[in-house]
Amino acid sequence: MRIKYAFIFLIIYPVLAHAQLPDGYDAVSKMQQQVWMDKKLESSDPGYSNVKGTPYIFEEFRTGNFYFINKTCILDKLINYNCIKDEVLFSDEKNTYTTNSQDIDYFTIGRSNDGTILLFKQVFLLTEKKRVFMQVLYQEKSLLFKRYRKEFLKADVGQPYGQNRQVDEYNDYYEYYITVDGKEPVLLKPRRSSVIEIFNNKPAIMEDFIKKEKINLKDETDLIRLVKHYDNI
């Protein structure tokens, strides 16, 4: 298989309860889509056949939409996301294409059979001096993001102090980022002192809420409750 690169844009469906879908995007015509498809560049397949797991967010491509920075959108594409390279891909069931991520504002992707739609936004991280895609978990006055990460682990059978890993594999992990009071997104570390520092204009109130509500700073639902409480104070 050969991966082909195309220059395109992204869009969105109905999603999570606390993430609002963008509006004001105009659908791109089939003719315009074909123009972008015709501008593809070829690249050799990176090949993950002998590796356990995948660098992508899902094992298989799933239906989603693209929203672009020029306020256009493309609907109902088979989409996936490469967590290692921070690349959004789509498939026409014959070929796989990598998008020009700089053009993308948001994208959505469906999750298996439960009907949930995940909303992703391109966010600039000052600490890394680059833009990355993160899932929007909460979007009101403050923003809460989930960053999907993959760690590539080499097989280490017979190696001193190894984990007896039989094959190369990808290990999933997540990071959470928050934007409060219009500031840059910052990493939300699962420690009370770090969280209180982020909410430093209302530290006593937030610490009291964490204690009374027994907020688990590693639990996604509790993090949403925490940020929502901050917005409602």
Side-chain angles (χ1 to χ4, degrees), residues 14 34-35 71 77 84 119 127 136 151 172 190 218 233:
Q34 191 59 52
V35 169
K71 292 297 180 179
K77 290 294 183 183
I84 297 289
L119 169 65
T127 53
V136 181
E151 180 184 18
D172 295 17
K218 295 182 179 180
I233 295 174

Side-chain angles (χ1 to χ4, degrees), residues 68-79:
F68 302 100
I69 58 175
N70 69 348
K71 292 297 180 179
T72 61
C73 61
I74 293 178
L75 307 174
D76 298 329
K77 290 294 183 183
L78 291 174
I79 295 175

Side-chain angles (χ1 to χ4, degrees), residues 20-226:
Q20 301 170 356
L21 293 176
D23 55 17
Y25 290 78
D26 297 321
V28 169
S29 69
K30 290 184 178 180
M31 183 178 294
Q32 288 173 301
Q33 289 188 46
Q34 191 59 52
V35 169
W36 287 315
M37 296 284 284
D38 289 342
K39 293 180 180 178
K40 53 188 174 290
L41 300 175
E42 294 189 357
S43 174
S44 59
D45 179 26
Y48 306 109
S49 58
N50 297 320
V51 180
K52 181 180 178 181
T54 172
Y56 303 141
I57 189 172
F58 296 123
E59 291 283 346
E60 71 281 352
F61 280 61
R62 297 179 179 177
T63 302
N65 300 330
F66 294 102
Y67 289 98
F68 302 100
I69 58 175
N70 69 348
K71 292 297 180 179
T72 61
C73 61
I74 293 178
L75 307 174
D76 298 329
K77 290 294 183 183
L78 291 174
I79 295 175
N80 217 329
Y81 171 64
N82 188 319
C83 303
I84 297 289
K85 295 183 177 181
D86 191 48
E87 291 179 342
V88 186
L89 305 98
F90 74 94
S91 171
D92 61 6
E93 298 182 337
K94 294 180 181 179
N95 299 302
T96 298
Y97 303 87
T98 299
T99 65
N100 184 351
S101 297
Q102 292 181 344
D103 295 331
I104 298 168
D105 203 358
Y106 297 89
F107 73 89
T108 58
I109 186 170
R111 183 166 57 189
S112 63
N113 300 321
D114 65 1
T116 301
I117 304 298
L118 306 183
L119 169 65
F120 286 78
K121 178 176 175 57
Q122 188 167 200
V123 180
F124 181 77
L125 295 181
L126 187 61
T127 53
E128 298 182 26
K129 295 181 174 59
K130 67 176 184 180
R131 294 184 178 276
V132 300
F133 285 100
M134 294 191 284
Q135 183 190 351
V136 181
L137 296 179
Y138 174 88
Q139 183 176 265
E140 294 295 339
K141 289 185 288 186
S142 301
L143 291 163
L144 179 64
F145 300 104
K146 180 178 183 179
R147 187 178 184 185
Y148 290 76
R149 308 300 300 271
K150 298 270 186 171
E151 180 184 18
F152 181 71
L153 303 173
K154 295 286 291 182
D156 59 5
V157 176
Q159 298 294 321
Y161 311 108
Q163 301 297 314
N164 198 35
R165 195 174 297 107
Q166 302 294 314
V167 296
D168 296 346
E169 63 181 71
Y170 288 97
N171 180 50
D172 295 17
Y173 68 102
Y174 311 99
E175 292 174 342
Y176 295 93
Y177 285 77
I178 185 170
T179 297
V180 297
D181 303 322
K183 298 177 182 177
E184 296 288 339
V186 294
L187 179 64
L188 202 163
K189 299 176 182 178
R191 297 196 300 268
R192 185 179 298 181
S193 59
S194 298
V195 172
I196 295 304
E197 185 177 349
I198 292 172
F199 301 112
N200 57 13
N201 61 336
K202 301 171 183 175
I205 296 174
M206 296 305 293
E207 185 165 16
D208 185 58
F209 181 77
I210 292 172
K211 289 178 181 178
K212 285 185 176 180
E213 298 297 321
K214 297 181 172 58
I215 296 296
N216 180 354
L217 299 177
K218 295 182 179 180
D219 182 83
E220 203 166 285
T221 302
D222 276 5
L223 288 178
I224 293 172
R225 290 176 58 207
L226 181 67

